[in-house]
């Protein structure tokens, strides 16, 4: 077929699909082009949903920013755990929303419900939270938050229990032991068998005496 015949055939097919109402004249004018664009829109493949985590192995940007505040030895385990959690809670999406906290941030959270407005958030002053890394510059704990596919924060739900149980199975400590369900911590190997207070005191001792916090 010559070019005019090709256009005529396309016009016939577009007309049979209800997308073109002009003459079958072989003229690739505005009417024909508009019909072609309508056909393309109607037949383009559906855009795949954004994955909970990018295929590169990194977490989502918010979680990565949180993970970056942690001790280097626990960063990849937190990525791997988040991947397992998101596979289990889909279509909800988990994010690491709080990692290391410095002295000012930790004490500001401790003041809430005490000397500052708002409900109580934590019972730990600086540096007695695993978020503080014993007073060092990197932490060992994250708080997880869950969101709908539309981005709405889920304050309460079974997702937190699923995350905590998966964390425990992977060797993490879960804050449900002291009433903090979003809290998940990965301790240095030599401190995993001790209680929470002993763990924090050991971290503080190591930091204050210039000792390695890992392992």
């Amino acid at each position: 077929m010559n070019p005019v015949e090709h256009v005529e055939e396309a016009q016939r097919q577009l007309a049979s699909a209800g997308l073109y109402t002009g003459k079958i004249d072989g003229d690739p004018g505005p009417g024909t082009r508009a019909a072609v664009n309508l056909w393309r829109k109607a037949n383009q493949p559906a855009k795949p949903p954004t994955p909970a985590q990018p295929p590169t192995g990194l977490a989502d940007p918010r979680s990565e920013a949180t993970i970056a505040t942690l001790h280097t030895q626990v960063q990849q385990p937190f990525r791997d755990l988040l991947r397992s959690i998101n596979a289990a809670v889909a279509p909800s999406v988990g994010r690491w929303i709080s990692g290391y906290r410095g002295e000012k941030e930790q004490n500001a959270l401790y003041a809430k419900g005490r000397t500052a407005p708002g409900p109580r958030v934590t019972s730990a002053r600086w540096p007695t939270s695993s978020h503080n890394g014993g007073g060092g510059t990197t932490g060992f704990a994250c708080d997880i938050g869950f969101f709908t596919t539309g981005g709405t924060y889920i304050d309460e739900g079974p997702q937190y229990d699923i995350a905590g149980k998966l964390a425990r199975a992977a060797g993490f400590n879960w804050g449900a032991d002291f009433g903090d369900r979003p809290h998940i911590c990965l301790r240095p190997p030599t401190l995993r068998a001790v209680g929470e207070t002993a763990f924090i005191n050991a971290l503080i001792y190591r930091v204050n005496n210039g000792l390695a916090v890992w392992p």
Side-chain angles (χ1 to χ4, degrees):
M1 287 191 292
N2 60 44
V4 172
E5 291 172 330
H6 274 294
V7 174
E8 288 177 342
E9 180 60 27
Q11 288 172 331
R12 290 189 188 94
Q13 292 184 24
L14 291 168
S16 66
L19 300 174
Y20 179 69
T21 58
K23 295 180 179 179
I24 308 300
D25 55 7
D27 179 14
T32 302
R33 291 195 297 271
V36 169
N37 287 336
L38 288 173
W39 181 89
R40 286 174 177 168
K41 289 179 181 179
N43 290 275
Q44 65 183 359
K47 184 179 178 181
T50 302
Q53 292 189 234
T56 60
L58 296 178
D60 62 277
R62 180 171 183 177
S63 296
E64 277 298 325
T66 300
I67 290 170
T69 70
L70 304 178
H71 191 282
T72 55
Q73 292 285 350
V74 305
Q75 291 183 4
Q76 190 58 44
F78 268 97
R79 289 189 187 99
D80 296 338
L81 177 60
L82 185 62
R83 185 172 296 106
S84 297
I85 291 170
N86 277 331
V89 303
S92 301
V93 178
R95 303 274 188 256
W96 298 124
I97 60 175
S98 178
Y100 172 77
R101 299 177 191 146
E103 182 174 5
K104 183 178 180 181
E105 181 182 3
Q106 184 66 40
N107 286 339
L109 287 175
Y110 180 80
K112 286 188 175 183
R114 295 180 175 86
T115 58
R120 292 194 177 191
V121 177
T122 178
S123 60
R125 297 175 185 264
W126 168 271
T128 62
S129 167
S130 51
H131 288 279
N132 308 148
T137 57
T138 55
F140 292 89
C142 282
D143 289 343
I144 195 166
F146 289 97
F147 302 83
T148 66
T149 53
T152 301
Y153 179 66
I154 303 170
D155 186 51
E156 290 287 341
Q159 296 90 341
Y160 291 93
D161 294 323
I162 293 170
K165 291 174 182 177
L166 287 171
R168 278 180 176 164
F172 291 71
N173 287 80
W174 182 25
D177 293 335
F178 44 87
D180 191 355
R181 291 167 67 225
H183 178 95
I184 295 174
C185 175
L186 183 59
R187 300 176 179 179
T190 54
L191 299 176
R192 289 179 186 172
V194 303
E196 184 71 12
T197 300
F199 161 58
I200 295 297
N201 288 341
L203 270 185
I204 294 172
Y205 177 84
R206 292 180 182 186
V207 171
N208 287 346
N209 290 276
L211 304 175
V213 295
W214 197 277

